[in-house]
Amino acid sequence: MEKLVVDASKPKWHINFKELWAYKDLFYILAYRDLRVRYAQTFLGLLWAFIQPLATLIIFTVVFGAVAEVGTDGIPYPLFAVCGMASWSYFSFVLNQSGNSIIGAQEMVKKIYFPRLVIPLSKALVGFVDFGIAMLFVVILMVYYGFIPSANIIYLPIFIILTIISALAVGIWLSALTIRYRDFQHVVPFLVQFGLYATPVGYQAKDVINRLPEWGSFIYYANPMAGVVEGFRWSLLGGDPPSIFAYFSFSIVIILFITGLLYFKRVEKVMADIV
């Protein structure tokens, strides 16, 4: 049995990663439970994981590819869009699930002790199902169009890590904020819907920043996923490298992640009382 030692000399913001590792079994159990519940008692089951991104891809292809005729620098639009969707699908899933994760597990939070951070972290593991399926679509479309990935693919692991950190950063913030302010339960669906169009998923970021003043570009890239999606697509398809503004977006990701962990740690002590 893991021994819990309360040390008053440690800073209040101290995050015990050793303790998190000790509860790794709970982390896996929660992730497995969420995965089973997600498609339980559905007629199509796991097929929904394929239908949803496919439907989004078709809509994007019709609206942005055929009607708006968004420029893709010669890349077939379905392939261009699905590369943006791969990164965004993971982020949006974790964002959706993390927001209400603590409230959804409130009975467990009230009754037993465990590092509460395990709950939003487990959502990040389940999100790899959506990410894996989106990447499968990427591979299928690359084969269909005879497209060879660019040499920039060596940077793909970096942008995958940034996608995970970005999703966790916003997810951890929302999971802690939703406990105190239940309004965020209504804000999260709006953020996901708005973010899909405020992020260069179905279009190129340069088409936006070329029409904005410099200060407007900074506001656009304050969206943590703007630079991540741009870099993710560049690592797979090549073309123009991420703009200088993308590095501002990467900085936002790191800042959100660190401050999210600190705020979560602060709220963790009273979660059982206010959840």
Side-chain angles (χ1 to χ4, degrees):
M1 174 179 271
E2 181 71 13
K3 180 166 63 174
L4 177 64
V5 178
V6 178
D7 188 351
S9 65
K10 289 183 178 179
K12 293 181 180 179
W13 49 264
H14 176 356
I15 298 170
N16 192 338
F17 291 102
K18 183 179 179 181
E19 184 186 39
L20 278 174
W21 176 253
Y23 282 86
K24 61 183 181 299
D25 289 340
L26 177 61
F27 170 77
Y28 294 133
I29 289 170
L30 289 175
Y32 179 66
R33 181 203 64 180
D34 289 345
L35 188 58
R36 290 192 61 183
V37 169
R38 188 177 180 187
Y39 300 110
Q41 296 181 327
T42 58
F43 178 71
L44 295 178
L46 190 61
L47 281 176
W48 281 112
F50 292 88
I51 294 172
Q52 290 169 352
L54 181 60
T56 304
L57 178 61
I58 292 173
I59 293 170
F60 268 57
T61 301
V62 171
V63 175
F64 289 105
V67 178
E69 297 183 348
V70 170
T72 61
D73 295 334
I75 298 168
Y77 185 82
L79 178 58
F80 173 88
V82 80
C83 286
M85 285 172 51
S87 182
W88 174 259
S89 64
Y90 179 84
F91 176 83
S92 61
F93 175 84
V94 176
L95 187 65
N96 256 321
Q97 297 297 311
S98 296
N100 293 321
S101 60
I102 303 295
I103 294 176
Q106 59 182 300
E107 293 304 319
M108 187 167 64
V109 169
K110 290 177 181 179
K111 292 177 180 178
I112 61 174
Y113 172 80
F114 61 94
R116 313 310 191 199
L117 196 56
V118 167
I119 297 175
L121 288 179
S122 67
K123 308 299 181 184
L125 184 61
V126 180
F128 280 111
V129 174
D130 293 65
F131 180 74
I133 291 171
M135 289 303 295
L136 178 61
F137 278 114
V138 171
V139 173
I140 290 172
L141 287 174
M142 279 187 171
V143 172
Y144 177 77
Y145 288 109
F147 190 92
I148 300 174
S150 74
N152 303 329
I153 199 169
I154 60 174
Y155 298 105
L156 182 61
I158 296 175
F159 291 105
I160 291 176
I161 292 171
L162 281 171
T163 300
I164 296 170
I165 294 175
S166 181
L168 284 174
V170 181
I172 289 170
W173 259 112
L174 288 173
S175 64
L177 285 169
T178 304
I179 300 171
R180 288 188 180 275
Y181 312 104
R182 301 302 170 95
D183 309 68
F184 281 94
Q185 294 182 84
H186 308 288
V187 171
V188 171
F190 169 74
L191 283 177
V192 173
Q193 185 178 14
F194 175 76
L196 178 61
Y197 298 101
T199 304
V201 175
Y203 56 86
Q204 298 188 87
K206 66 180 182 181
D207 292 340
V208 176
I209 62 176
N210 287 343
R211 294 175 171 83
L212 293 175
E214 187 173 349
W215 61 267
S217 298
F218 275 108
I219 292 176
Y220 179 77
Y221 277 94
N223 171 5
M225 283 302 289
V228 175
V229 169
E230 184 181 9
F232 191 92
R233 181 184 284 126
W234 168 77
S235 67
L236 285 170
L237 305 179
D240 297 331
S243 67
I244 191 67
F245 295 105
Y247 294 94
F248 174 67
S249 187
F250 302 153
S251 301
I252 294 292
V253 170
I254 302 303
I255 291 170
L256 283 174
F257 184 64
I258 294 173
T259 55
L261 286 173
L262 296 179
Y263 182 72
F264 191 95
K265 185 65 178 178
R266 179 181 174 185
V267 176
E268 186 177 26
K269 295 178 294 184
V270 295
M271 280 183 181
D273 299 319
I274 64 176
V275 73

